[in-house]
Amino acid sequence: GKISVEPGATMIAFSRFLAAMGVIFAVTAVSIDRQRAERLQSWLAGVATLTVAILIIRRLGGFPVLDDIVGPGPDILAAVSAIGIVMNCATLVRVIESYETRRVRNEMAFGSFAGWAAVWLVCFFICAIGAALALISAVFVAACGVVTLLLTVLIRRIGLGLWPSALIAGAGVVAAIALVVSNWGGGTQVDVALRFANAPAPMVATTQRMISDAPLAGTGAGTFSALFPIYRDIDDIESGTM
């Protein structure tokens, strides 16, 4: 119980974590070469856009068979759309920089540049439509990612020094702190993450009681579903997920 309330769920979560780390290391090894990294970025942006397009069609009534694979909720569409927006924006920036810094005049003609720029703009707007159809939070998350990317590009282009860059980073930290403080509220819960939970108040209160009894490292995956019936009040909802 000190390590995991639900050993099976914890092992599955740990296996998924190891698989994700393996993919990250493999992608890192593949993308050490610049050209392969650029191809990988383009492929990832294209796959994300294709996935968003399929999910949009399913949401509009097509591909009902996909409901059994990805579920009817908007979470998958929101996540992939946010990732696709940032990836397509980054790919578009790369195309622009490649055209501006080409060493040989014929390396990328203007026609080729315009064609690829139009492709990635279309992909960007497809993902933006997907985010708008899914959750408003996906639009906010994607906007944060795009603004961060564009600020990085701006800093590189105008050649800001150490102190101006540090001031911009500090402004971002202050904005994050202000966001947390604005959601501090007057309740009794002390966990910061719960102040951003989009869930009924009884479920949030039950979760707070579970967190207050758990050690700092937690009690493994599957804790919520396993302990919710024990910690809920008699008038609370029967079940649910956060």
Side-chain angles (χ1 to χ4, degrees):
K2 295 181 179 180
I3 298 175
S4 174
V5 171
E6 179 57 65
T10 300
M11 290 301 299
I12 292 175
F14 185 64
S15 299
R16 291 176 177 174
F17 171 78
L18 292 179
M21 292 301 298
V23 171
I24 291 174
F25 282 118
V27 171
T28 303
V30 170
S31 59
I32 290 178
D33 180 75
R34 179 175 179 177
Q35 291 185 345
R36 285 187 295 181
E38 292 178 352
R39 294 194 195 101
L40 181 62
Q41 182 186 37
S42 299
W43 274 103
L44 290 175
V47 169
T49 304
L50 179 61
T51 304
V52 170
I54 294 175
L55 292 175
I56 290 176
I57 294 174
R58 188 208 66 170
R59 186 178 178 86
L60 297 178
F63 294 112
V65 69
L66 291 178
D67 290 341
D68 297 332
I69 301 176
V70 298
D75 295 341
I76 298 297
L77 178 58
V80 180
S81 298
I83 294 173
I85 289 173
V86 178
M87 289 296 300
N88 283 303
C89 185
T91 307
L92 182 60
V93 169
R94 178 177 58 80
V95 171
I96 295 174
E97 290 182 346
S98 297
Y99 178 72
E100 291 176 344
T101 60
R102 63 195 189 282
R103 296 178 181 178
V104 182
R105 186 172 182 81
N106 294 327
E107 182 178 341
M108 179 181 286
F110 178 78
S112 177
F113 160 72
W116 282 113
V119 168
W120 297 119
L121 274 175
V122 171
C123 292
F124 177 86
F125 284 114
I126 290 175
C127 293
I129 293 172
L133 290 176
L135 298 171
I136 190 63
S137 58
V139 179
F140 176 75
V141 170
C144 291
V146 171
V147 169
T148 303
L149 174 65
L150 295 182
L151 281 176
T152 304
V153 174
L154 179 63
I155 291 172
R156 288 174 52 197
R157 284 182 175 272
I158 62 180
L160 290 179
L162 176 62
W163 286 110
S165 301
L167 288 176
I168 294 177
V173 173
V174 171
I177 295 175
L179 183 62
V180 173
V181 172
S182 65
N183 284 271
W184 202 255
T188 58
Q189 68 255 29
V190 295
D191 191 85
V192 175
L194 288 181
R195 303 183 189 281
F196 299 88
N198 184 18
M203 187 179 295
V204 175
T206 302
T207 305
Q208 177 58 46
R209 290 192 293 270
M210 294 165 58
I211 291 177
S212 62
D213 288 343
L216 184 62
T219 51
T223 297
F224 184 81
S225 58
L227 297 185
F228 183 83
I230 301 174
Y231 278 86
R232 71 180 183 89
D233 288 334
I234 190 171
D235 295 329
D236 287 351
I237 54 180
E238 288 293 333
S239 62
T241 57
M242 295 196 67

